[in-house]
Amino acid sequence: MLIKQISIFIENKSGRLAQITKLFGERGVNILALSIADTTDFGILRLIVSNPEVAERTVKEFGLTAKTTDVIGISIPHIPGGLAQALSVLSDDGISIEYMYAFATCSEDNAMVILKVSDNGEAMKILTNSGIKILTDADIATLF
Amino acid sequence: MSAMNNFWDQKNECLSRDELHDLQSKRLAALVKRVYTNVPYYRNKMHDKGVLPEDIKSVEDIEKLPFTTKQDLRETYPFGLFASPMDEIMRVHASSGTTGKQTVVGYTADDISLWSELMARCFTMTGADKSAVVQVSYGYGLFTGGLGAHYGAERIGAVTVPTSSGNTQRQITIMQDFGTTVLCCTPSYALFLAETMEEAGVKPEDLKLKAGVFGAEPWTESMRSEIESRLKIKAFDIYGLSEIMGPGVSMDCICQNGLHVWEDHFIPEIIDPDTGASLPGNTNGELVFTTLTKQGFPLIRYRTRDVSSLNYEKCGCGRTMARMAKPCGRTDDMLIIRGVNVFPSQIESVLLEMGETSPHYMIIVDRVGTLDTIEIQVELTPDMLSDEVKKIEDLENRIRKNIESILGLAAKITLVESKTIQRSEGKAKRVIDKRSK
């Protein structure tokens, strides 16, 4: 299944990230994974959070522009070459990775990675067929 | 440099005010008759105002005539105000309009000759003659700056170097190698050239430069002294607009105390921009011009939107022609950036036409070093947001390209967070101009 990611547009102003994360803290939104894509003028903060609806509302109330996107979460063996194996099955089938980032937490045996790919449905099939574990909401719930 | 030598057409440049009055009256009456006969749009405007050609007998009657505005030019786009048959038109120029549509002006052979003649007066006023080497670094093309200066420089028999704008290194090399004595460009570009020369170790003493004919954008007296001291030249302020002719409608003389309007060919007026009432000499108001002798594209009481005043006293240089004060503002929201006319509405129409951005924008004009910069801040809407940076950058690029194709000017596009651009209850504030006035 697909995971909801929240993307927030933020200008490169100092203190912006601190303000947003503080708000999440106050509303009980837990951040499980995050990445920032930045340019000289702005950045896009991408988040996987415990409760996306609350997070999105919070961001909008604060006056920022946010958007929800479906992304794939996978769990891979926490060993050398673990990530390479998952990525190569996708590239073999012509699926390109738009961006990816790892979870802030991981278990001893497994690492967890968020992928944004060119074709979600196709990628899910390929990953499942290759025996790569796709994260579900339930998996994520266990991380709290 | 004796002032005696600085006349191209001393008889006409120094007509007595009485002679000038009679000449203007005769020419105005003939102009109105001609325009009434040849241009249906003007005929209708005059009917609306209840005025007929026979009502115009002298300069004082000019107040009976209707004004012409940029809006009239837009409504008659492209050739509706031409007063000569297209067979007789031999050149057109165009300048930007307020909503993307250009303003087109046409010239007959006589018009081009008149323009050359008036530009010749301007160049001669700087002390230049046929021994001069005139480098024309105004852009050549639809913009009147390049070709206008070019024909004037040729008219005085100078060596005319049509470098056009850009390629600063080559401009400097040509100045050195060809022995340029007169430079024509925007004042901000003159400063940029001075700066580049300093960096390259080229000293003013290495050049033969004596004078600069600078215009096409507003500039301050402090900019003038800076240019004069850095390039070691005399900097002259030239004024013009394509609707009236192009550069050379007026220029300041060696006294640098106002720009002489060539009144034997143009009647300048100052009006109250709100009521349209004529204002007396030495009073600030909107500058209005009537072209007396142009054939292809004559205009009656054209509202320039430039704020200035007129001084009718005889000048120390000997000329009797009225002097207009350096324009000190606009009665509309037009900006002049690197010599290019920019209306905020042009930028707004680009954004609205694209249909994917918010209509909330802010134009920030600044001067970095010597060059004007323009930044357009656009609020990012939820529809524009993508989780992928390249899609947002794509959008920025598309906005930039569309704006550049309309304005002819590269602008920096900055996407900003929604609701960060100030909302106002009345007229929206769209421009922050940080350049010193």
Side-chain angles (χ1 to χ4, degrees):
Chain A
M1 72 176 289
L2 295 166
I3 295 175
K4 295 253 173 279
Q5 167 191 267
I6 295 179
S7 307
I8 307 166
F9 178 86
I10 41 178
E11 283 175 51
N12 280 357
K13 290 180 186 163
S14 73
R16 221 63 176 131
L17 276 174
Q19 286 173 308
I20 295 163
T21 47
K22 179 165 176 276
L23 272 175
F24 284 160
E26 286 164 8
R27 304 280 180 96
V29 174
N30 201 352
I31 300 169
L32 305 175
L34 72 94
S35 86
I36 296 178
D38 66 316
T39 70
T40 31
D41 296 318
F42 66 87
I44 299 169
L45 173 62
R46 307 178 187 117
L47 300 164
I48 305 296
V49 295
S50 53
N51 30 2
E53 293 77 20
V54 178
E56 195 173 348
R57 216 168 39 238
T58 305
V59 168
K60 285 185 178 163
E61 280 168 16
F62 185 62
L64 289 175
T65 305
K67 181 188 174 118
T68 308
T69 322
D70 287 334
V71 291
I72 298 173
I74 55 172
S75 170
I76 48 173
H78 203 344
I79 51 166
L83 180 59
Q85 197 244 330
L87 296 185
S88 60
V89 296
L90 290 174
S91 86
D92 288 348
D93 277 284
I95 304 276
S96 49
I97 312 279
E98 307 294 351
Y99 57 81
M100 58 175 277
Y101 52 98
F103 269 75
T105 53
C106 66
S107 69
E108 220 164 275
D109 304 326
N110 293 308
M112 282 170 283
V113 174
I114 291 294
L115 298 175
K116 172 66 192 288
V117 297
S118 49
D119 183 338
N120 274 341
E122 200 56 29
M124 296 271 273
K125 244 186 277 168
I126 295 160
L127 291 166
T128 312
N129 292 344
S130 312
I132 293 165
K133 180 174 165 46
I134 309 277
L135 295 175
T136 63
D137 281 346
D139 293 324
I140 289 178
T142 64
L143 295 170
F144 303 121
Chain B
M1 198 170 349
S2 139
M4 283 305 289
N5 301 325
N6 294 349
F7 291 107
W8 172 255
D9 181 356
Q10 186 162 9
K11 178 176 163 287
N12 281 312
E13 292 176 47
C14 300
L15 286 174
S16 74
R17 292 303 304 180
D18 283 345
E19 288 171 308
L20 194 57
H21 179 273
D22 291 349
L23 182 65
Q24 286 186 327
S25 297
K26 205 174 76 196
R27 286 181 167 173
L28 180 65
L31 163 84
V32 171
K33 195 180 281 174
R34 186 163 175 275
V35 164
Y36 183 86
T37 311
N38 294 2
V39 187
Y41 190 85
Y42 264 127
R43 190 157 58 235
N44 292 336
K45 272 183 89 105
M46 284 173 64
H47 286 169
D48 289 348
K49 210 149 186 251
V51 56
L52 290 169
E54 48 268 37
D55 298 328
I56 308 303
K57 296 187 183 74
S58 83
V59 181
E60 289 73 27
D61 296 325
I62 200 167
E63 290 179 35
K64 296 177 185 162
L65 291 164
F67 290 112
T68 309
T69 62
K70 195 102 176 164
Q71 181 63 29
D72 292 314
L73 271 52
R74 200 154 54 223
E75 279 170 21
T76 53
Y77 174 90
F79 306 139
L81 285 183
F82 285 19
S84 298
M86 289 309 282
D87 284 1
E88 289 171 24
I89 299 291
M90 70 173 220
R91 195 198 293 170
V92 291
H93 279 284
S95 71
S96 56
T98 45
T99 53
K101 213 174 222 186
Q102 305 223 309
T103 299
V104 186
V105 297
Y107 303 78
T108 63
D110 284 349
D111 292 337
I112 296 290
S113 180
L114 167 68
W115 190 7
S116 311
E117 191 67 16
L118 298 185
M119 277 305 298
R121 289 187 190 176
C122 293
F123 279 122
T124 308
M125 206 148 58
T126 70
D129 58 21
K130 61 185 181 351
S131 66
V133 178
V134 179
Q135 185 163 334
V136 182
S137 309
Y138 285 118
Y140 280 63
L142 286 173
F143 171 59
T144 50
L147 284 165
H150 182 100
Y151 276 65
E154 287 191 347
R155 179 62 63 102
I156 65 166
V159 176
T160 307
V161 189
T163 50
S164 195
S165 52
N167 201 340
T168 304
Q169 199 47 60
R170 194 183 59 181
Q171 301 275 4
I172 294 169
T173 307
I174 286 176
M175 275 198 270
Q176 289 176 285
D177 296 351
F178 297 6
T180 301
T181 59
V182 180
L183 173 67
C184 306
C185 61
T186 60
S188 54
Y189 191 64
L191 269 182
F192 183 67
L193 278 169
E195 208 163 69
T196 312
M197 279 168 48
E198 282 158 23
E199 281 163 16
V202 179
K203 294 190 184 64
E205 295 76 37
D206 302 335
L207 303 177
K208 297 209 171 91
L209 213 54
K210 291 194 186 85
V213 174
F214 304 128
E217 66 184 13
W219 50 314
T220 57
E221 282 303 328
S222 68
M223 245 174 115
R224 164 137 65 193
S225 23
E226 194 181 343
I227 293 172
E228 291 191 334
S229 70
R230 286 171 84 170
L231 286 175
K232 299 222 168 20
I233 59 169
K234 194 89 184 158
F236 294 84
D237 187 2
I238 191 165
Y239 174 88
L241 59 168
S242 64
E243 296 93 318
I244 297 307
M245 181 176 78
V249 173
S250 68
M251 191 171 106
D252 59 11
C253 62
I254 200 83
C255 302
Q256 294 187 340
N257 188 19
L259 290 75
H260 289 283
V261 177
W262 303 123
E263 280 184 283
D264 46 342
H265 296 282
F266 310 108
I267 298 179
E269 294 175 82
I270 295 290
I271 62 157
D272 179 323
D274 298 322
T275 64
S278 292
L279 296 176
N282 301 313
T283 311
N284 266 346
E286 182 177 334
L287 187 59
V288 169
F289 282 107
T290 299
T291 66
L292 288 173
T293 50
K294 259 187 9 165
Q295 300 171 338
F297 191 75
L299 287 182
I300 291 174
R301 305 192 84 196
Y302 181 68
R303 295 187 57 164
T304 64
R305 301 287 172 187
D306 284 324
V307 177
S308 180
S309 62
L310 291 166
N311 175 358
Y312 290 97
E313 280 158 39
K314 189 174 171 181
C315 179
C317 73
R319 285 178 187 82
T320 50
M321 305 262 155
R323 281 164 287 158
M324 55 175 266
K326 195 184 254 304
C328 61
R330 298 276 304 173
T331 61
D332 61 8
D333 56 359
M334 189 181 90
L335 295 161
I336 303 182
I337 299 162
R338 282 177 245 148
V340 178
N341 298 351
V342 173
F343 290 94
S345 54
Q346 291 175 292
I347 290 165
E348 186 164 320
S349 67
V350 168
L351 296 177
L352 289 175
E353 265 166 46
M354 288 182 70
E356 42 191 334
T357 70
S358 118
H360 298 292
Y361 65 93
M362 183 67 87
I363 300 165
I364 296 160
V365 185
D366 203 352
R367 184 167 284 138
V368 175
T370 55
L371 286 185
D372 296 340
T373 59
I374 172 168
E375 176 188 0
I376 300 164
Q377 295 187 342
V378 182
E379 270 186 16
L380 182 119
T381 62
D383 289 346
M384 293 158 71
L385 180 59
S386 166
D387 54 322
E388 291 175 42
V389 169
K390 68 171 181 242
K391 288 197 179 138
I392 299 180
E393 286 181 331
D394 262 6
L395 178 67
E396 275 186 342
N397 283 332
R398 271 183 293 127
I399 298 175
R400 178 164 46 244
K401 277 187 194 140
N402 289 343
I403 293 213
E404 189 169 355
S405 77
I406 291 291
L407 302 187
L409 195 68
K412 174 174 166 30
I413 307 298
T414 307
L415 295 174
V416 297
E417 290 167 7
S418 62
K419 302 194 182 69
T420 53
I421 287 172
Q422 200 188 333
R423 306 292 195 264
S424 78
E425 291 175 4
K427 200 171 178 297
K429 181 166 168 54
R430 296 300 195 192
V431 180
I432 298 174
D433 194 339
K434 298 178 174 170
R435 296 176 294 187
S436 60
K437 294 278 176 200

